Amino acid sequence: MSELITENAPIDLSAEENNPIDSRLREFHSLSAEIVDLFYTQTLSPDIISTPAEVCEAFSSMILRHWDLCCIVIYLRDEDGHLRESAIHSHEHFDEAKARAVGDQFASVVEQKGEELQAWLDENDAEATGESERNLRRTLEETGLHAGVAVPIHARGRLVGALVAITVFPERLRAALNGLRFIAAPVVIGIGNARRASALREQNQRIEHLVEELRQHSKALEEANRELRHVAHYRSLFLSRMSHEHR
């Protein structure tokens, strides 16, 4: 009887797919696996992902694969304390110059406020936005974009970067928002790994250079010693001959 009920009962195969929580968990699981794979590659194949810019590029590609946004721009704090573009990935049909201008404006506001920034043209935010937010909305309108988010990246309580995502599809950006927040910390870890690896490579190169200089100096010293021995030998022969002639 139970078999007949099971057999005849309608089965909703899309129930799991329509469950936003399950879908989000699968998405984060896939994202986590890609992040681990990136770190694994960075550790065991440093020639593939070796610089902070390459790390940012890899994370940008990862984000675009998952949510198909128009543009991802990652900013890092430079030595002067300002956020500077480290990597930009945009859709092939979108003007990268416009994306860069919008991203720079978002990053500038994040640098000032140190907190997450959102702008949605499909929402009426006139009461909640300040002058900077209104300027951002105006810039989005002028460039044909409909939404933008800037997620600050902090390390040890200090703003070290920002991840900016902009799109013409606000619903895609809303779906990606938690993922963008999730991926911000791994970006810092990946960049830190790249910088440490770069520092180690530079240190090894300096050591190798010093070893080579030492080898060259040692070779020159050996040649000088050999020449001195020759001089001493000839001097000894000369003195011996002079002594013999005096006798």
Side-chain angles (χ1 to χ4, degrees):
M1 182 68 176
S2 61
E3 293 179 357
L4 290 175
I5 294 175
T6 305
E7 182 178 350
N8 294 327
I11 301 175
D12 186 5
L13 295 177
S14 63
E16 183 180 355
E17 295 181 359
N18 291 333
N19 188 326
I21 297 178
D22 290 341
S23 177
R24 193 175 304 165
L25 287 174
R26 287 194 301 272
E27 188 173 61
F28 280 137
H29 177 76
S30 174
L31 191 61
S32 298
E34 289 189 45
I35 292 172
V36 171
D37 183 66
L38 190 152
F39 287 158
Y40 184 84
T41 302
Q42 188 182 28
T43 302
L44 299 183
S45 303
D47 293 338
I48 299 177
I49 303 176
S50 59
T51 66
E54 288 172 344
V55 171
C56 293
E57 182 178 346
F59 275 106
S60 298
S61 299
M62 190 184 302
I63 294 170
L64 290 178
R65 281 197 305 273
H66 276 266
W67 294 289
D68 194 23
L69 302 173
C70 288
C71 182
I72 296 293
V73 194
I74 296 179
Y75 295 83
L76 298 178
R77 184 178 289 277
D78 62 13
E79 295 179 354
D80 297 329
H82 298 294
L83 294 180
R84 302 296 182 192
E85 178 190 316
S86 181
I88 181 170
H89 270 214
S90 60
H91 194 279
E92 59 181 353
H93 300 302
F94 191 75
D95 188 340
E96 189 173 287
K98 291 182 179 179
R100 178 173 283 111
V102 176
D104 289 349
Q105 191 171 346
F106 269 85
S108 177
V109 177
V110 170
E111 183 180 316
Q112 296 171 11
K113 297 188 174 184
E115 59 187 27
E116 185 175 303
L117 181 66
Q118 301 181 14
W120 312 90
L121 295 190
D122 62 342
E123 294 180 356
N124 185 8
D125 280 344
E127 298 179 358
T129 57
E131 182 179 357
S132 58
E133 286 80 2
R134 286 195 295 271
N135 290 336
L136 286 172
R137 289 168 63 86
R138 191 178 304 114
T139 301
L140 289 174
E141 290 176 351
E142 293 171 353
T143 54
L145 292 162
H146 295 163
V149 169
V151 179
I153 302 175
H154 291 93
R156 297 181 179 179
R158 180 172 175 263
L159 181 68
V160 296
L163 191 159
V164 177
I166 50 181
T167 183
V168 296
F169 304 107
E171 67 280 2
R172 292 184 185 177
L173 186 54
R174 288 190 181 92
L177 190 53
N178 285 328
L180 296 175
R181 294 166 178 159
F182 175 78
I183 212 171
V187 169
V188 173
I189 296 172
I191 291 170
N193 291 341
R195 286 177 172 170
R196 282 190 293 272
S198 177
L200 285 174
R201 284 193 299 273
E202 290 178 1
Q203 185 179 35
N204 288 337
Q205 290 174 355
R206 286 196 298 270
I207 292 174
E208 290 175 358
H209 180 69
L210 291 174
V211 169
E212 178 62 21
E213 284 187 349
L214 182 60
R215 191 183 68 82
Q216 294 293 340
H217 291 162
S218 297
K219 182 178 179 181
L221 185 59
E222 289 176 0
E223 292 177 355
N225 286 334
R226 187 162 48 250
E227 186 66 24
L228 286 174
R229 285 194 295 270
H230 287 163
V231 170
H233 176 68
Y234 291 132
R235 179 174 178 275
S236 177
L237 289 177
F238 174 76
L239 292 177
S240 176
R241 183 174 302 167
M242 290 295 294
S243 176
H244 177 72
E245 290 178 358
H246 281 294
R247 287 198 296 269

